[in-house]
Amino acid sequence: MSSALGRKVAPDATGGAGAQAHEAPAMHLVASGSEAALQLPAAAGQAPFVWEPMLARLRHGAPLAAQYALFPLSVLLVWWYASGTELLPSNILPSPGAVFASFLDLLHGGDISEHLFISLWRVAQGAALGLVLGLALGVALGASPAFESWIGPSFRILVQIPSIALIPLLMMVLGIDDSLKLFIMTKACVVPLALVTADGIRNIPPTYLEVARVMKLSRWTLYRRVVLPGAMPAIATGVRQGVAHVWVALVAVEVMASAEGIGYLMTWSRQIFQLDVVLVCVALIGLIGFSLDYGLRRAESRLLRWRGRE
Amino acid sequence: MNQSAAFSPLHRLWHSRRFRGLVPPALLLVLWWLATTHEWVSPLVLVPFGQLYDAALDPQVFHSLAEGIASTFGRLLQGYGIGIGIGLALGVGMGLSKAFDRIMGPSFHAVRQVAILAWIPLLTAWFGTGDLCKIVFVAIAAAKPVVMGAFEGVRSTPAQLLEVGRVLGFSRLKMLRWVILPSSAPAIVTALQLSLIYSWFAAIGAEYVIGVMSGGIGSVVMGAQEHFRTDVVLLGVTLIAATGVAMNKGLRGLPDYLFRWRTRA
């Protein structure tokens, strides 16, 4: 699993989302099989006995597992040693045990799940609004050269300015309530999605459109049967990037200006020097980012399975 | 419109991309002007042009903004330098050696998943709210794209080139110097450039979060926001955004320029 992650990295989108718009969708399918998993069937096919391949697997797998464990384990060891010997005071570096205990504590006390729920609900709202607007803008930009010529240049300037940079200004205009968060999340989602969707529509082979014209398809059928399926891989990538950006943007706003949510829980715990809670929050934020990305990747490869049959 | 008018200058203007691109911002400015002159919104929210003009010419405002930019850039360059150093070592190492990738890869990808600003509370606890904290933060932000770009670049070295190197009996070092690095250089330069712009906005974000006392353009803007100086906020944010856009535009042609030898092949 982790080696599969290592092999498939897309450059992070910081404005130039269009550059990596088209990852080969086939890669998503291949990448889920890790190296060890790929070697297994071959080994099993060669040896008639059950234990022999198992032994070979152990012998082959042990150094591999050691490699995977080396760095995380040494970090854990240093951490454990540094906090255990009071090399650093425990309010600066809480021990691994304390962090785990506070994780369980927060889980049972309901504090963290409450804040987490608020954050996730916000993400759902921001993503919903952002996906609708982003898709609409992307289709308009991609399908209508006139719309592109009026709106495109301004949009491409706006794309280069991350919403985080605009927060102080938006705080004056929108206050620090939910409207600020919704605005920033929506913008974070619209930008990559619209860029990639417009590119996807523009890159539909002209021959397809010609066929559609020859067949005298109605506008609706044209969109439903030609444009949408043609742009689907790009749209799927855009959705994934958009949702990832929503999460990053929400954490940023919550850290900066919020009275609830996981970002707020983190800054507040920092102020009262409960770094164990801060560490739990950091881990959770990473975990959620990863799960969103992973879930959407799975959905994407499932959605685009029909392309493999061509 | 009749046939002869179709080629009139006005018609050409109407259809020129440049003109059309300028229309939305121009409309926005007109709307802004109308809103302030008719006081549709509070001047605290939308500053009249006159006030903005005065603020831009106010030497005190100019001084604090310029000083802020300079101090942010100083930290940006330090953090960026450290970040790309670590990023290149990690990315190239992970790309060259599968074992190294197995050792560092999962940890890197785990850390990568954390939304960047989520590191700030932890970093302020560990490194204080001064320069060091921000430099470390910028370094983390800068390293991320570089690791991924370098890794991808090294990994996608064409197998034929590697084979040529092998046939020529290249040592590992020679292989790296004459085959792998030249082949992955465009990916790495693109990543470095992306990383600079990313770090710029990360540095600003850190200053926003850490707040007024820490120096830098971000904290100047945050300070102005707390004192309801909308004009200064507007100037500062425009300056920040324009710097980012200018860096983006200025560096865009760089990879093509540096690697024009590649297209001749």
Side-chain angles (χ1 to χ4, degrees):
Chain A
M1 163 78 251
S2 356
S3 82
L5 274 177
R7 218 167 301 118
K8 177 192 56 179
V9 273
D12 214 31
T14 53
Q20 84 263 13
H22 306 291
E23 302 166 78
M27 277 181 50
H28 300 257
L29 298 170
V30 174
S32 56
S34 78
E35 216 165 292
L38 285 176
Q39 282 163 359
L40 255 182
Q46 281 161 10
F49 302 108
V50 183
W51 56 83
E52 223 167 279
M54 273 174 67
L55 272 180
R57 226 170 105 196
L58 262 181
R59 232 178 298 138
H60 189 79
L64 216 61
Q67 284 177 354
Y68 280 124
L70 182 62
F71 187 70
L73 271 187
S74 28
V75 168
L76 204 65
L77 209 67
V78 171
W79 178 10
W80 180 71
Y81 177 79
S83 60
T85 54
E86 296 281 317
L87 209 64
L88 291 165
S90 65
N91 61 348
I92 292 293
L93 191 71
S95 70
V99 172
F100 190 67
S102 78
F103 171 66
L104 292 180
D105 212 35
L106 285 163
L107 216 58
H108 288 302
D111 217 13
I112 207 164
S113 37
E114 202 175 297
H115 285 287
L116 201 59
F117 181 75
I118 289 169
S119 294
L120 288 177
W121 175 234
R122 282 177 178 155
V123 166
Q125 288 172 314
L129 194 59
L131 290 181
V132 171
L133 290 179
L135 211 57
L137 185 63
V139 169
L141 284 173
S144 155
F147 187 82
E148 215 296 324
S149 69
W150 292 108
I151 302 296
S154 307
F155 178 66
R156 276 192 297 274
I157 293 285
L158 200 68
V159 160
Q160 298 175 40
I161 305 164
S163 10
I164 291 165
L166 302 174
I167 285 183
L169 194 63
L170 294 172
M171 274 162 81
M172 307 212 74
V173 179
L174 299 171
I176 60 164
D177 320 333
D178 284 348
S179 53
L180 173 76
K181 286 164 200 109
L182 199 61
F183 183 91
I184 286 175
M185 285 190 292
T186 307
K187 192 223 163 223
C189 185
V190 163
V191 163
L193 180 57
L195 270 181
V196 170
T197 304
D199 264 356
I201 290 178
R202 251 177 253 131
N203 289 335
I204 291 173
T207 42
Y208 292 7
L209 299 178
E210 233 156 87
V211 169
R213 210 169 303 137
V214 169
M215 291 169 78
K216 294 201 189 326
L217 294 186
S218 72
R219 190 165 259 250
W220 168 249
T221 323
L222 173 74
Y223 273 86
R224 171 77 189 77
R225 295 282 169 201
V226 181
V227 175
L228 196 66
M232 209 42 168
I235 292 175
T237 308
V239 168
R240 187 160 51 75
Q241 286 176 355
V243 172
H245 284 203
V246 167
W247 178 240
V248 172
L250 177 70
V251 170
V253 195
E254 281 189 347
V255 166
M256 254 185 253
S258 181
E260 43 188 7
I262 190 156
Y264 165 76
L265 179 67
M266 195 165 58
T267 36
W268 188 72
S269 311
R270 154 74 184 83
Q271 270 159 19
I272 55 171
F273 265 98
Q274 285 192 340
L275 282 206
D276 45 348
V277 180
V278 176
L279 280 166
V280 170
C281 289
V282 168
L284 271 179
I285 287 170
L287 192 68
I288 290 171
F290 171 76
S291 320
L292 283 176
D293 189 66
Y294 182 72
L296 286 170
R297 263 183 211 283
R298 290 293 296 269
E300 185 181 333
S301 62
R302 179 165 287 231
L303 200 68
L304 297 177
R305 222 169 7 193
W306 53 272
R307 299 183 82 241
R309 273 189 254 125
E310 281 178 318
Chain B
M1 187 182 291
N2 61 37
Q3 201 58 42
S4 64
F7 300 97
S8 72
L10 207 65
H11 179 265
R12 245 180 308 167
L13 180 72
W14 180 253
H15 283 276
S16 86
R17 288 189 61 81
R18 186 159 297 181
F19 167 76
R20 289 185 167 192
L22 285 174
V23 167
L27 280 179
L28 222 63
L29 284 180
V30 169
L31 198 68
W32 180 356
W33 179 72
L34 284 174
T36 51
T37 47
H38 293 263
E39 298 215 7
W40 291 337
V41 283
S42 150
L44 275 182
V45 173
L46 213 56
V47 200
F49 283 138
Q51 194 187 334
L52 202 63
Y53 183 73
D54 291 343
L57 292 183
D58 183 350
Q60 213 181 335
V61 170
F62 179 82
H63 186 72
S64 70
L65 288 178
E67 208 175 20
I69 285 266
S71 99
T72 302
F73 253 98
R75 282 189 300 264
L76 171 71
L77 292 182
Q78 291 176 54
Y80 180 68
I82 298 168
I84 63 173
I86 296 172
L88 279 177
L90 263 181
V92 172
M94 277 158 58
L96 286 178
S97 148
K98 285 232 163 84
F100 189 66
D101 182 31
R102 282 192 281 264
I103 293 169
M104 296 306 295
S107 303
F108 166 72
H109 289 290
V111 168
R112 181 172 76 89
Q113 292 297 338
V114 177
I116 189 79
L117 277 173
W119 290 110
I120 291 203
L122 206 59
L123 292 181
T124 56
W126 285 347
F127 301 107
T129 51
D131 282 2
L132 181 63
C133 165
K134 289 186 220 161
I135 290 172
V136 172
F137 179 72
V138 171
I140 294 176
K144 225 163 84 163
V146 174
V147 174
M148 296 198 284
F151 175 84
E152 282 285 292
V154 169
R155 267 294 157 86
S156 51
T157 308
Q160 300 100 301
L161 291 185
L162 291 174
E163 210 145 296
V164 170
R166 224 167 289 139
V167 168
L168 292 175
F170 275 8
S171 67
R172 287 183 147 213
L173 206 66
K174 251 187 157 174
M175 193 77 119
L176 185 66
R177 168 70 187 80
W178 294 108
V179 180
I180 296 171
L181 283 187
S183 145
S184 54
I188 292 177
V189 169
T190 306
L192 290 178
Q193 162 197 354
L194 238 138
S195 156
L196 181 64
I197 293 146
Y198 192 56
S199 319
W200 164 248
F201 286 111
I204 299 295
E207 286 171 4
Y208 285 164
V209 174
I210 294 169
V212 188
M213 297 307 293
S214 59
I217 178 98
S219 55
V220 172
V221 169
M222 266 337 224
Q225 195 257 333
E226 274 171 28
H227 292 105
F228 292 102
R229 286 292 304 271
T230 314
D231 46 354
V232 180
V233 173
L234 198 61
L235 285 175
V237 168
T238 310
L239 202 58
I240 289 166
T243 309
V245 173
M247 278 204 270
N248 215 348
K249 246 201 158 71
L251 295 174
R252 190 172 289 162
L254 191 69
D256 283 343
Y257 176 77
L258 283 178
F259 302 110
R260 43 190 200 287
W261 51 272
R262 288 171 67 91
T263 51
R264 264 180 301 173

